[in-house]
């Protein structure tokens, strides 16, 4: 999947792509045709950089309901001939998830589309999972024959069916089909379930990797074999090393950390950092200076895991370095520094935004640190990140940091956060948004009554209502 093209944050499309609350508020006041066109663009062209962790489906479904939107565009997208050519989940997953929420809100047309796509679409398993949560038993039973018809009755087809049953995210349809009155349906599903369980048992009985009695050298060799296969194994290898290494093995481990192969060096650095070995910080600095890209990354990760006072002191000395170790030092201080480190964390935050933009991965930790340390001077940078980042998770972190640093947050960004796509951001807004704004009170009531809303958000909402304030 290619990285999505995100429109400027000041446009309606850009707001909706980011999942910002202002996107909903602007869409509700824009011409309906324009709002629906922008909304459909988002649903059909997933704007998330990481679709597995960022939320958009409930956000888009709620807006579709508010705009009384039709589902013609989603239907055309799902049943386009391209569906047979591009079977990647990312092409249709968001649209299917939106339909699932709409079905929960009582949209029968959404339920019908999910049923039709589960019977004929390439991403049928996702549609089936959505239906497993929303459809009745009769609707699910009607899908047994078309779904099973996807799998040939030869050995290869039955193996594919067993894998589908074993890996199903929602088991309810398969359980229903295993009890189907038609022997041809129930028999195949039961056999597939048994085969899947047997396959899982076989895999558990054939573990790969370290064995009891391995030596330090064997662990290093295993880690290097992973590097040669393109698999980073130094993290599990370091855990193995902790089990097999004794005091007499320290010289060998130190030697590997200085000049070993990439696999051995990464493993040794991780092991030494986890054990707070006194030589670790010097070895990490040397690895960043002369190591390969993989070794530098492992050294930086190992440093950031360290919790010792010495590591925090060294971070103060390394902060400001124009290399990965300097950036890591800023993150260490953001996580574990004290009030005296505010200037260093603020400098790291500003430098990251200037050098890498509002979506830099390092900002996640630095933004949290700005909030944790209460760096009031960071508020302008945090507001910029909030507005511009394409990551709804990073925006939520910026909102939490602003709640701790910016006195204007309650009457400003907190209001729009009540409509944000991320439940954690809505929770922050529910605790902080200024209720003098009538829109805030109305949205709090809506969230309190919405069965699709997360429990944490509704708990935060209830905490804001006075005893005499009606919630219905």
């Amino acid at each position: 999947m290619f990285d999505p093209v995100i429109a400027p944050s000041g446009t309606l499309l850009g707001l909706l792509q980011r999942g910002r609350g202002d996107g909903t508020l602007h869409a509700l006041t824009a011409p309906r045709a324009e709002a629906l066109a922008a909304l459909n663009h988002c649903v059909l062209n997933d704007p998330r950089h990481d679709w597995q962790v960022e939320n958009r489906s409930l956000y888009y479904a709620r807006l579709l309901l508010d705009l009384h939107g039709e589902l013609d565009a989603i239907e055309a997208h799902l049943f386009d001939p391209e569906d047979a050519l591009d079977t990647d989940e990312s092409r249709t997953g968001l649209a299917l998830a939106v339909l699932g929420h709409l079905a929960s809100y009582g949209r029968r047309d959404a339920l019908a589309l999910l049923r039709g796509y589960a019977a004929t679409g390439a991403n049928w398993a996702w549609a089936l999972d959505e239906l497993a949560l929303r459809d009745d038993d009769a609707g699910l039973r009607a899908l047994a024959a078309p779904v099973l018809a996807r799998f040939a009755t030869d050995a290869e087809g039955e193996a594919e069916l067993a894998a589908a049953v074993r890996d199903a995210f929602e088991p309810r349809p398969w359980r229903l089909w295993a009890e189907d009155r038609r022997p041809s349906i129930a028999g195949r599903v039961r056999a597939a379930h048994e085969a899947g369980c047997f396959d899982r048992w076989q895999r558990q009985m054939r573990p790969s990797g370290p064995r009891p009695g391995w030596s330090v050298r064997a662990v290093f060799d295993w880690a290097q074999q992973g590097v040669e296969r393109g698999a980073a194994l130094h993290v599990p290898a370091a855990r193995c090393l902790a089990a097999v290494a004794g005091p007499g093995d320290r010289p060998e481990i130190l030697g590997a950390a200085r000049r070993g192969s990439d696999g051995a060096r990464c493993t040794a650095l991780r092991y030494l950092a986890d054990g707070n070995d006194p030589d670790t910080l010097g070895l990490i600095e040397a690895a960043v200076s002369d190591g390969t890209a993989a070794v530098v990354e492992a050294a930086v990760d190992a440093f950031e895991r360290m919790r010792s006072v010495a590591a925090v002191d060294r971070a103060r000395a390394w902060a400001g370095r124009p290399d990965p170790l300097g950036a890591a030092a800023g993150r260490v201080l953001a996580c574990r520094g004290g009030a005296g480190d505010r200037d260093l964390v603020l400098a790291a935050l500003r430098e990251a935004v200037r050098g890498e933009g509002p979506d830099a991965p390092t900002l996640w930790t630095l933004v949290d640190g700005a909030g944790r340390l209460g760096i009031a001077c960071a508020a302008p940078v945090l507001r910029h990140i909030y507005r511009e980042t394409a990551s709804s998770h990073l925006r939520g972190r910026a909102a939490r940091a602003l709640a701790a640093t910016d006195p204007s947050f309650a009457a400003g960004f907190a209001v729009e956060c009540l409509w944000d796509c991320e439940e954690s951001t809505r929770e922050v807004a529910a605790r902080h948004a200024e209720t003098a704004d009538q829109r805030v009170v109305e949205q709090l009531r809506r969230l309190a009554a919405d069965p699709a809303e997360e429990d944490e958000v509704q708990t935060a909402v209830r905490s804001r209502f006075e005893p005499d304030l009606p919630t219905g």
Side-chain angles (χ1 to χ4, degrees):
M1 178 181 177
F2 295 103
D3 283 340
V5 177
I6 305 298
S9 61
T11 64
L12 175 58
L13 177 59
L15 290 169
L16 291 177
Q17 287 177 314
R18 288 168 172 80
R20 278 183 55 181
D22 255 5
T24 293
L25 298 175
H26 279 63
L28 294 176
T29 58
R32 181 171 177 273
E34 176 187 345
L36 283 173
L39 176 57
N40 284 329
H41 183 279
C42 294
V43 174
L44 307 185
N45 302 277
D46 195 334
R48 296 170 292 181
H49 284 281
D50 190 344
W51 62 272
Q52 293 180 308
V53 299
E54 292 189 50
N55 296 313
R56 292 291 190 281
S57 55
L58 179 59
Y59 171 84
Y60 293 144
R62 283 171 168 170
L63 183 53
L64 250 172
L65 288 174
D66 290 341
L67 294 172
H68 305 287
E70 300 83 8
L71 302 182
D72 296 352
I74 295 179
E75 181 177 10
H77 178 72
L78 293 179
F79 296 98
D80 189 280
E82 184 183 0
D83 188 62
L85 303 175
D86 183 0
T87 58
D88 194 297
E89 288 183 331
S90 61
R91 195 189 84 84
T92 53
L94 179 57
L96 295 171
V98 169
L99 290 177
H101 285 299
L102 290 174
S104 293
Y105 283 119
R107 287 283 296 260
R108 301 295 298 179
D109 52 348
L111 189 64
L113 280 181
L114 283 172
R115 288 170 173 170
Y117 188 82
T120 64
N123 195 9
W124 62 272
W126 191 313
L128 188 62
D129 285 339
E130 297 291 341
L131 288 167
L133 299 173
R134 280 106 181 176
D135 208 353
D136 55 28
D137 287 355
L140 290 174
R141 288 194 178 101
L143 289 171
V147 168
L148 291 184
R150 295 175 176 276
F151 302 94
T153 55
D154 58 15
E156 183 179 353
E158 296 299 349
E160 292 174 353
L161 176 59
V165 175
R166 182 194 68 219
D167 299 336
F169 191 74
E170 294 291 343
R172 180 178 164 228
W174 301 100
R175 289 172 179 168
L176 282 173
W177 299 342
E179 303 300 327
D180 197 281
R181 295 178 180 177
R182 293 164 289 184
S184 60
I185 299 293
R188 287 194 74 189
V189 174
R190 289 175 183 172
H193 177 70
E194 292 173 1
C197 292
F198 181 71
D199 179 63
R200 185 180 295 111
W201 175 79
Q202 281 189 314
R203 287 188 293 175
Q204 291 171 345
M205 294 298 290
R206 294 194 302 265
S208 61
R211 301 287 196 279
W214 270 29
S215 65
V216 168
R217 173 49 50 192
V219 172
F220 286 152
D221 290 343
W222 179 65
Q224 181 59 25
Q225 291 166 12
V227 171
E228 293 167 359
R229 297 196 311 268
L233 298 178
H234 64 275
V235 174
R239 291 197 294 267
C240 295
L241 203 58
V244 304
D249 296 309
R250 184 170 181 270
E252 182 179 1
I253 296 171
L254 291 175
R258 291 190 186 97
R259 54 188 174 274
S261 65
D262 279 7
R265 198 171 187 185
C266 294
T267 300
L269 289 170
R270 178 76 170 219
Y271 167 81
L272 294 169
D274 287 351
N276 283 319
D277 188 279
D279 289 338
T280 304
L281 294 169
L283 291 168
I284 286 174
E285 187 171 22
V288 171
S289 299
D290 62 18
T292 64
V295 169
V296 170
E297 182 179 355
V300 167
D301 288 344
F303 171 55
E304 290 190 62
R305 288 174 55 82
M306 298 182 72
R307 300 293 187 268
S308 65
V309 173
V312 176
D313 287 341
R314 190 67 65 93
R316 295 183 180 112
W318 286 343
R321 283 177 53 142
D323 63 6
L325 196 52
R331 294 190 294 270
V332 167
L333 295 176
C335 292
R336 293 181 284 281
D341 300 310
R342 289 173 177 170
D343 289 345
L344 293 174
V345 174
L346 178 58
L349 178 66
R350 288 171 171 166
E351 179 59 31
V353 173
R354 280 195 300 264
E356 302 179 60
D359 292 312
T362 190
L363 288 176
W364 291 50
T365 303
L366 295 174
V367 164
D368 286 349
R372 182 182 73 85
L373 296 172
I375 307 175
C377 294
V381 184
L382 294 171
R383 288 194 289 266
H384 172 75
I385 295 169
Y386 178 96
R387 292 189 189 96
E388 299 300 327
T389 182
S391 167
S392 54
H393 276 196
L394 179 55
R395 182 177 63 252
R397 289 171 180 257
R400 288 190 288 276
L402 284 167
T405 60
D406 186 1
S408 69
F409 176 73
F413 285 141
V415 175
E416 72 155 283
C417 285
L418 286 171
W419 286 266
D420 196 88
C421 67
E422 297 291 344
E423 63 266 18
S424 58
T425 306
R426 296 195 297 275
E427 180 184 354
V428 171
R431 297 190 185 281
H432 293 278
E434 176 55 63
T435 54
D437 189 325
Q438 184 58 32
R439 296 176 303 170
V440 170
V441 177
E442 292 173 356
Q443 181 65 359
L444 288 172
R445 287 172 171 161
R446 178 180 180 179
L447 295 176
D450 190 339
E453 189 52 79
E454 296 291 331
D455 291 342
E456 293 81 0
V457 178
Q458 293 190 326
T459 298
V461 169
R462 286 192 291 270
S463 72
R464 297 297 302 280
F465 285 122
E466 297 295 336
D468 58 346
L469 183 63
T471 61

